[in-house]
Amino acid sequence: MAAVQLESLEKCLERHVPPEELREVRRILYGKETRMLDLPLCALETAVERDFELKGLGFEAAPEQLRQPRIVRVGIIQNKIVLPTNAPVAQQVAAMHKRIGDLVEAAAMCGVNIVCFQEAWTMPFAFCTREKLPWTEFAESAEDGPTTKFCQELAKQYNLVVVSPILERDEVHGETLWNTAVVVSNSGHVLGKTRKNHIPRIGDFNESTYYMEGKTGHRVFQTQFGRIAVNICYGRHHPLNWLMFSINGAEIIFNPSATVGDLSEPMWPIEARNAAIANHCFTCAINRVGMEHFQNEFTSGDGKKAHRDFGYFYGSSYIAAPDGSRTPSLSRTRDGLLIAEMDLNLCRQISDKWAFKMTGRYEMYAEELAKMVQPDFEPNIIKDCFYLQATQCKFSTADIRGTAHAEHMLIKISQMT
Ligand SMILES: NC(=O)NCCC(=O)O
């Protein structure tokens, strides 16, 4: 029987924190309060009919004298798989297209300009199994596969940019598989693709069995609505990955993910939010929802008993701003569409205030990292010879603590060396 899941941290706080303290608790936890967006009734009704959560929030920026505000509405979608994992592949993909099409329609009603889906959104997250078939059959061409064509139709129909993270089959390069995000312009053409830079080797995330680390670097896509980048899932644990997207000018970095409670939930609210703060940009963390069961048992060489599921994908998608504020999360249990209205001018405003780029001393780190990757690298550690000698002489450091005793030991050491 499935465990009862907590719906969301926010709901739990609302239930248990006295109302007069809740505002202050929220300020401390989430920063400057986000404004509730007035979403159209048709979208709210659609969300009820189609059984998904719909939330809209706005981040504020200061008005400027010389620049017009650059207001953008971003939508992020989290969802469960629709059909069981043993349904025919084509049917599973079609069902996911239908489900996402339904949510994107609501996003369009709310005036969303850029929408992003979860990691490998057309399929179950089957990489735990290490089986090749049928999972590799979900891989498609990033340029003209059925999912990209589907996203091109959505983009044209609703005049929005679509970020579509898929399992990519690269026929040109020996049928290589990649974990890729395709960026489709609101004009409907494929603007480009970017691949997952860091592949997990932890728990049941046996993704290295399927695809390699991407070599597309840290591409940024200039869209009509702002400069965007995609840091796929496990890449969020790598601060340099976020940094490089930001150095290339990203104003919004999407983090489409698939991750489970036991592994990463306490890290989830921190990582993308910290990246927004550290890099003066907006970040959008998206996680899938629910349990996915597989027909065959699998193990991952970690001593755990053979099992048939990954654990619980806890949703909790959210958007963070460069001033450290963030939206509440979507729920841990339901499909959802989270919309954030943002003024991209906030990125420069916060950069001027905190100046992390200006004070970043990148030349110092470039020099030190260049040394670190050399085979003859020696870590820059100043050793305390006193304690070192003592250790080499097999005295415990506890033995030589205290000046008088230490002097006595030093004499001993000098006699021995
Ligand atoms: N999909 C993926 O990279 N998951 C790894 C686990 C994590 O980063 O939380």
Side-chain angles (χ1 to χ4, degrees), residues 119 125 196 200 202 205 207 233-234 236-237 258-259 263-264:
E119 181 182 19
F125 216 69
K196 183 169 181 169
I202 178 166
F205 289 89
E207 295 169 48
C233 196
Y234 184 75
R236 79 181 177 285
H237 311 301
T259 185
L263 184 67
S264 64

mmCIF file with all atom_site columns, all heavy atoms in Angstrom, residues 119 125 196 200 202 205 207 233-234 236-237 258-259 263-264, ligand 1:
data_model
loop_
_atom_site.group_PDB
_atom_site.id
_atom_site.type_symbol
_atom_site.label_atom_id
_atom_site.label_alt_id
_atom_site.label_comp_id
_atom_site.label_asym_id
_atom_site.label_entity_id
_atom_site.label_seq_id
_atom_site.pdbx_PDB_ins_code
_atom_site.Cartn_x
_atom_site.Cartn_y
_atom_site.Cartn_z
_atom_site.occupancy
_atom_site.B_iso_or_equiv
_atom_site.pdbx_formal_charge
_atom_site.auth_seq_id
_atom_site.auth_comp_id
_atom_site.auth_asym_id
_atom_site.auth_atom_id
_atom_site.pdbx_PDB_model_num
ATOM   1   N N   . GLU A 1 119 ? 12.243 16.686 -16.393 1.00 0.00 ? 119 GLU A N   1
ATOM   2   C CA  . GLU A 1 119 ? 13.292 15.915 -17.074 1.00 0.00 ? 119 GLU A CA  1
ATOM   3   C C   . GLU A 1 119 ? 12.697 14.654 -17.718 1.00 0.00 ? 119 GLU A C   1
ATOM   4   O O   . GLU A 1 119 ? 11.863 13.982 -17.108 1.00 0.00 ? 119 GLU A O   1
ATOM   5   C CB  . GLU A 1 119 ? 14.354 15.511 -16.041 1.00 0.00 ? 119 GLU A CB  1
ATOM   6   C CG  . GLU A 1 119 ? 15.509 14.713 -16.626 1.00 0.00 ? 119 GLU A CG  1
ATOM   7   C CD  . GLU A 1 119 ? 16.523 14.290 -15.564 1.00 0.00 ? 119 GLU A CD  1
ATOM   8   O OE1 . GLU A 1 119 ? 16.192 14.280 -14.369 1.00 0.00 ? 119 GLU A OE1 1
ATOM   9   O OE2 . GLU A 1 119 ? 17.669 13.960 -15.960 1.00 0.00 ? 119 GLU A OE2 1
ATOM   10  N N   . PHE A 1 125 ? 10.742 7.323  -15.414 1.00 0.00 ? 125 PHE A N   1
ATOM   11  C CA  . PHE A 1 125 ? 12.181 7.481  -15.154 1.00 0.00 ? 125 PHE A CA  1
ATOM   12  C C   . PHE A 1 125 ? 12.779 6.091  -14.923 1.00 0.00 ? 125 PHE A C   1
ATOM   13  O O   . PHE A 1 125 ? 13.096 5.687  -13.807 1.00 0.00 ? 125 PHE A O   1
ATOM   14  C CB  . PHE A 1 125 ? 12.423 8.431  -13.980 1.00 0.00 ? 125 PHE A CB  1
ATOM   15  C CG  . PHE A 1 125 ? 13.648 9.261  -14.189 1.00 0.00 ? 125 PHE A CG  1
ATOM   16  C CD1 . PHE A 1 125 ? 13.685 10.242 -15.166 1.00 0.00 ? 125 PHE A CD1 1
ATOM   17  C CD2 . PHE A 1 125 ? 14.785 9.044  -13.439 1.00 0.00 ? 125 PHE A CD2 1
ATOM   18  C CE1 . PHE A 1 125 ? 14.831 11.006 -15.387 1.00 0.00 ? 125 PHE A CE1 1
ATOM   19  C CE2 . PHE A 1 125 ? 15.938 9.794  -13.643 1.00 0.00 ? 125 PHE A CE2 1
ATOM   20  C CZ  . PHE A 1 125 ? 15.944 10.770 -14.614 1.00 0.00 ? 125 PHE A CZ  1
ATOM   21  N N   . LYS A 1 196 ? 22.567 17.407 -20.758 1.00 0.00 ? 196 LYS A N   1
ATOM   22  C CA  . LYS A 1 196 ? 22.874 17.288 -19.320 1.00 0.00 ? 196 LYS A CA  1
ATOM   23  C C   . LYS A 1 196 ? 24.386 17.131 -19.137 1.00 0.00 ? 196 LYS A C   1
ATOM   24  O O   . LYS A 1 196 ? 24.990 16.219 -19.712 1.00 0.00 ? 196 LYS A O   1
ATOM   25  C CB  . LYS A 1 196 ? 22.122 16.065 -18.778 1.00 0.00 ? 196 LYS A CB  1
ATOM   26  C CG  . LYS A 1 196 ? 22.250 15.816 -17.296 1.00 0.00 ? 196 LYS A CG  1
ATOM   27  C CD  . LYS A 1 196 ? 21.245 14.736 -16.883 1.00 0.00 ? 196 LYS A CD  1
ATOM   28  C CE  . LYS A 1 196 ? 21.257 14.425 -15.422 1.00 0.00 ? 196 LYS A CE  1
ATOM   29  N NZ  . LYS A 1 196 ? 20.114 13.581 -15.019 1.00 0.00 ? 196 LYS A NZ  1
ATOM   30  N N   . PRO A 1 200 ? 24.338 11.440 -12.751 1.00 0.00 ? 200 PRO A N   1
ATOM   31  C CA  . PRO A 1 200 ? 24.462 10.881 -11.399 1.00 0.00 ? 200 PRO A CA  1
ATOM   32  C C   . PRO A 1 200 ? 24.954 9.435  -11.401 1.00 0.00 ? 200 PRO A C   1
ATOM   33  O O   . PRO A 1 200 ? 24.717 8.685  -12.344 1.00 0.00 ? 200 PRO A O   1
ATOM   34  C CB  . PRO A 1 200 ? 23.026 10.943 -10.868 1.00 0.00 ? 200 PRO A CB  1
ATOM   35  C CG  . PRO A 1 200 ? 22.154 10.989 -12.062 1.00 0.00 ? 200 PRO A CG  1
ATOM   36  C CD  . PRO A 1 200 ? 22.940 11.664 -13.142 1.00 0.00 ? 200 PRO A CD  1
ATOM   37  N N   . ILE A 1 202 ? 24.479 7.585  -8.291  1.00 0.00 ? 202 ILE A N   1
ATOM   38  C CA  . ILE A 1 202 ? 24.083 7.494  -6.880  1.00 0.00 ? 202 ILE A CA  1
ATOM   39  C C   . ILE A 1 202 ? 22.754 6.748  -6.775  1.00 0.00 ? 202 ILE A C   1
ATOM   40  O O   . ILE A 1 202 ? 21.859 6.956  -7.611  1.00 0.00 ? 202 ILE A O   1
ATOM   41  C CB  . ILE A 1 202 ? 23.969 8.902  -6.246  1.00 0.00 ? 202 ILE A CB  1
ATOM   42  C CG1 . ILE A 1 202 ? 23.503 8.811  -4.792  1.00 0.00 ? 202 ILE A CG1 1
ATOM   43  C CG2 . ILE A 1 202 ? 23.043 9.822  -7.025  1.00 0.00 ? 202 ILE A CG2 1
ATOM   44  C CD1 . ILE A 1 202 ? 23.688 10.077 -4.011  1.00 0.00 ? 202 ILE A CD1 1
ATOM   45  N N   . PHE A 1 205 ? 19.898 5.908  -9.417  1.00 0.00 ? 205 PHE A N   1
ATOM   46  C CA  . PHE A 1 205 ? 20.037 6.775  -10.603 1.00 0.00 ? 205 PHE A CA  1
ATOM   47  C C   . PHE A 1 205 ? 21.148 6.228  -11.499 1.00 0.00 ? 205 PHE A C   1
ATOM   48  O O   . PHE A 1 205 ? 22.244 6.775  -11.576 1.00 0.00 ? 205 PHE A O   1
ATOM   49  C CB  . PHE A 1 205 ? 20.276 8.226  -10.173 1.00 0.00 ? 205 PHE A CB  1
ATOM   50  C CG  . PHE A 1 205 ? 19.037 8.833  -9.580  1.00 0.00 ? 205 PHE A CG  1
ATOM   51  C CD1 . PHE A 1 205 ? 18.775 8.726  -8.233  1.00 0.00 ? 205 PHE A CD1 1
ATOM   52  C CD2 . PHE A 1 205 ? 18.103 9.476  -10.382 1.00 0.00 ? 205 PHE A CD2 1
ATOM   53  C CE1 . PHE A 1 205 ? 17.607 9.253  -7.683  1.00 0.00 ? 205 PHE A CE1 1
ATOM   54  C CE2 . PHE A 1 205 ? 16.941 10.000 -9.848  1.00 0.00 ? 205 PHE A CE2 1
ATOM   55  C CZ  . PHE A 1 205 ? 16.690 9.897  -8.494  1.00 0.00 ? 205 PHE A CZ  1
ATOM   56  N N   . GLU A 1 207 ? 21.838 6.295  -14.487 1.00 0.00 ? 207 GLU A N   1
ATOM   57  C CA  . GLU A 1 207 ? 21.696 6.936  -15.794 1.00 0.00 ? 207 GLU A CA  1
ATOM   58  C C   . GLU A 1 207 ? 22.916 6.769  -16.675 1.00 0.00 ? 207 GLU A C   1
ATOM   59  O O   . GLU A 1 207 ? 22.827 6.851  -17.905 1.00 0.00 ? 207 GLU A O   1
ATOM   60  C CB  . GLU A 1 207 ? 21.377 8.428  -15.593 1.00 0.00 ? 207 GLU A CB  1
ATOM   61  C CG  . GLU A 1 207 ? 20.037 8.619  -14.920 1.00 0.00 ? 207 GLU A CG  1
ATOM   62  C CD  . GLU A 1 207 ? 19.790 10.048 -14.466 1.00 0.00 ? 207 GLU A CD  1
ATOM   63  O OE1 . GLU A 1 207 ? 20.004 10.978 -15.253 1.00 0.00 ? 207 GLU A OE1 1
ATOM   64  O OE2 . GLU A 1 207 ? 19.372 10.235 -13.316 1.00 0.00 ? 207 GLU A OE2 1
ATOM   65  N N   . CYS A 1 233 ? 18.724 18.455 -14.030 1.00 0.00 ? 233 CYS A N   1
ATOM   66  C CA  . CYS A 1 233 ? 18.686 17.714 -12.760 1.00 0.00 ? 233 CYS A CA  1
ATOM   67  C C   . CYS A 1 233 ? 19.964 17.717 -11.922 1.00 0.00 ? 233 CYS A C   1
ATOM   68  O O   . CYS A 1 233 ? 20.239 18.666 -11.225 1.00 0.00 ? 233 CYS A O   1
ATOM   69  C CB  . CYS A 1 233 ? 18.193 16.281 -12.984 1.00 0.00 ? 233 CYS A CB  1
ATOM   70  S SG  . CYS A 1 233 ? 17.714 15.542 -11.401 1.00 0.00 ? 233 CYS A SG  1
ATOM   71  N N   . TYR A 1 234 ? 20.763 16.653 -12.015 1.00 0.00 ? 234 TYR A N   1
ATOM   72  C CA  . TYR A 1 234 ? 21.920 16.459 -11.131 1.00 0.00 ? 234 TYR A CA  1
ATOM   73  C C   . TYR A 1 234 ? 22.927 17.612 -11.268 1.00 0.00 ? 234 TYR A C   1
ATOM   74  O O   . TYR A 1 234 ? 23.732 17.854 -10.364 1.00 0.00 ? 234 TYR A O   1
ATOM   75  C CB  . TYR A 1 234 ? 22.532 15.112 -11.499 1.00 0.00 ? 234 TYR A CB  1
ATOM   76  C CG  . TYR A 1 234 ? 23.683 14.624 -10.682 1.00 0.00 ? 234 TYR A CG  1
ATOM   77  C CD1 . TYR A 1 234 ? 23.497 14.124 -9.400  1.00 0.00 ? 234 TYR A CD1 1
ATOM   78  C CD2 . TYR A 1 234 ? 24.972 14.629 -11.213 1.00 0.00 ? 234 TYR A CD2 1
ATOM   79  C CE1 . TYR A 1 234 ? 24.565 13.642 -8.670  1.00 0.00 ? 234 TYR A CE1 1
ATOM   80  C CE2 . TYR A 1 234 ? 26.043 14.145 -10.497 1.00 0.00 ? 234 TYR A CE2 1
ATOM   81  C CZ  . TYR A 1 234 ? 25.838 13.654 -9.223  1.00 0.00 ? 234 TYR A CZ  1
ATOM   82  O OH  . TYR A 1 234 ? 26.908 13.174 -8.493  1.00 0.00 ? 234 TYR A OH  1
ATOM   83  N N   . ARG A 1 236 ? 22.310 20.486 -10.793 1.00 0.00 ? 236 ARG A N   1
ATOM   84  C CA  . ARG A 1 236 ? 22.045 21.517 -9.795  1.00 0.00 ? 236 ARG A CA  1
ATOM   85  C C   . ARG A 1 236 ? 22.954 21.391 -8.580  1.00 0.00 ? 236 ARG A C   1
ATOM   86  O O   . ARG A 1 236 ? 23.060 22.324 -7.775  1.00 0.00 ? 236 ARG A O   1
ATOM   87  C CB  . ARG A 1 236 ? 20.575 21.499 -9.368  1.00 0.00 ? 236 ARG A CB  1
ATOM   88  C CG  . ARG A 1 236 ? 20.182 20.432 -8.387  1.00 0.00 ? 236 ARG A CG  1
ATOM   89  C CD  . ARG A 1 236 ? 18.709 20.486 -8.041  1.00 0.00 ? 236 ARG A CD  1
ATOM   90  N NE  . ARG A 1 236 ? 18.360 19.403 -7.163  1.00 0.00 ? 236 ARG A NE  1
ATOM   91  C CZ  . ARG A 1 236 ? 18.221 18.118 -7.547  1.00 0.00 ? 236 ARG A CZ  1
ATOM   92  N NH1 . ARG A 1 236 ? 18.370 17.771 -8.814  1.00 0.00 ? 236 ARG A NH1 1
ATOM   93  N NH2 . ARG A 1 236 ? 17.923 17.188 -6.663  1.00 0.00 ? 236 ARG A NH2 1
ATOM   94  N N   . HIS A 1 237 ? 23.600 20.218 -8.424  1.00 0.00 ? 237 HIS A N   1
ATOM   95  C CA  . HIS A 1 237 ? 24.525 20.067 -7.294  1.00 0.00 ? 237 HIS A CA  1
ATOM   96  C C   . HIS A 1 237 ? 25.893 20.685 -7.598  1.00 0.00 ? 237 HIS A C   1
ATOM   97  O O   . HIS A 1 237 ? 26.790 20.621 -6.760  1.00 0.00 ? 237 HIS A O   1
ATOM   98  C CB  . HIS A 1 237 ? 24.730 18.588 -6.948  1.00 0.00 ? 237 HIS A CB  1
ATOM   99  C CG  . HIS A 1 237 ? 23.446 17.814 -6.822  1.00 0.00 ? 237 HIS A CG  1
ATOM   100 N ND1 . HIS A 1 237 ? 22.467 18.147 -5.916  1.00 0.00 ? 237 HIS A ND1 1
ATOM   101 C CD2 . HIS A 1 237 ? 22.973 16.730 -7.504  1.00 0.00 ? 237 HIS A CD2 1
ATOM   102 C CE1 . HIS A 1 237 ? 21.446 17.284 -6.041  1.00 0.00 ? 237 HIS A CE1 1
ATOM   103 N NE2 . HIS A 1 237 ? 21.739 16.434 -6.997  1.00 0.00 ? 237 HIS A NE2 1
ATOM   104 N N   . ALA A 1 258 ? 14.316 14.908 -11.928 1.00 0.00 ? 258 ALA A N   1
ATOM   105 C CA  . ALA A 1 258 ? 13.570 13.734 -11.465 1.00 0.00 ? 258 ALA A CA  1
ATOM   106 C C   . ALA A 1 258 ? 14.334 13.264 -10.240 1.00 0.00 ? 258 ALA A C   1
ATOM   107 O O   . ALA A 1 258 ? 15.449 12.751 -10.355 1.00 0.00 ? 258 ALA A O   1
ATOM   108 C CB  . ALA A 1 258 ? 13.562 12.656 -12.537 1.00 0.00 ? 258 ALA A CB  1
ATOM   109 N N   . THR A 1 259 ? 13.745 13.476 -9.075  1.00 0.00 ? 259 THR A N   1
ATOM   110 C CA  . THR A 1 259 ? 14.485 13.092 -7.872  1.00 0.00 ? 259 THR A CA  1
ATOM   111 C C   . THR A 1 259 ? 13.523 12.678 -6.773  1.00 0.00 ? 259 THR A C   1
ATOM   112 O O   . THR A 1 259 ? 12.364 13.098 -6.767  1.00 0.00 ? 259 THR A O   1
ATOM   113 C CB  . THR A 1 259 ? 15.450 14.214 -7.428  1.00 0.00 ? 259 THR A CB  1
ATOM   114 O OG1 . THR A 1 259 ? 16.226 13.734 -6.330  1.00 0.00 ? 259 THR A OG1 1
ATOM   115 C CG2 . THR A 1 259 ? 14.726 15.489 -7.025  1.00 0.00 ? 259 THR A CG2 1
ATOM   116 N N   . LEU A 1 263 ? 16.464 10.621 -1.109  1.00 0.00 ? 263 LEU A N   1
ATOM   117 C CA  . LEU A 1 263 ? 17.782 11.040 -1.572  1.00 0.00 ? 263 LEU A CA  1
ATOM   118 C C   . LEU A 1 263 ? 18.027 12.535 -1.384  1.00 0.00 ? 263 LEU A C   1
ATOM   119 O O   . LEU A 1 263 ? 19.056 12.939 -0.855  1.00 0.00 ? 263 LEU A O   1
ATOM   120 C CB  . LEU A 1 263 ? 17.930 10.679 -3.060  1.00 0.00 ? 263 LEU A CB  1
ATOM   121 C CG  . LEU A 1 263 ? 19.296 10.978 -3.665  1.00 0.00 ? 263 LEU A CG  1
ATOM   122 C CD1 . LEU A 1 263 ? 20.351 10.075 -3.049  1.00 0.00 ? 263 LEU A CD1 1
ATOM   123 C CD2 . LEU A 1 263 ? 19.259 10.808 -5.174  1.00 0.00 ? 263 LEU A CD2 1
ATOM   124 N N   . SER A 1 264 ? 17.083 13.365 -1.843  1.00 0.00 ? 264 SER A N   1
ATOM   125 C CA  . SER A 1 264 ? 17.465 14.768 -2.045  1.00 0.00 ? 264 SER A CA  1
ATOM   126 C C   . SER A 1 264 ? 16.504 15.808 -1.486  1.00 0.00 ? 264 SER A C   1
ATOM   127 O O   . SER A 1 264 ? 16.754 17.007 -1.663  1.00 0.00 ? 264 SER A O   1
ATOM   128 C CB  . SER A 1 264 ? 17.584 15.015 -3.546  1.00 0.00 ? 264 SER A CB  1
ATOM   129 O OG  . SER A 1 264 ? 16.300 14.843 -4.147  1.00 0.00 ? 264 SER A OG  1
HETATM 130 N N1  . LIG B 2 .   ? 17.767 12.747 -12.602 1.00 0.00 ? 1   LIG B N1  1
HETATM 131 C C1  . LIG B 2 .   ? 18.810 12.935 -11.854 1.00 0.00 ? 1   LIG B C1  1
HETATM 132 O O1  . LIG B 2 .   ? 19.846 13.377 -12.302 1.00 0.00 ? 1   LIG B O1  1
HETATM 133 N N2  . LIG B 2 .   ? 18.663 12.595 -10.564 1.00 0.00 ? 1   LIG B N2  1
HETATM 134 C C2  . LIG B 2 .   ? 19.746 12.507 -9.663  1.00 0.00 ? 1   LIG B C2  1
HETATM 135 C C3  . LIG B 2 .   ? 19.324 12.659 -8.267  1.00 0.00 ? 1   LIG B C3  1
HETATM 136 C C4  . LIG B 2 .   ? 19.380 14.064 -7.805  1.00 0.00 ? 1   LIG B C4  1
HETATM 137 O O2  . LIG B 2 .   ? 20.169 14.854 -8.332  1.00 0.00 ? 1   LIG B O2  1
HETATM 138 O O3  . LIG B 2 .   ? 18.629 14.405 -6.902  1.00 0.00 ? 1   LIG B O3  1
#
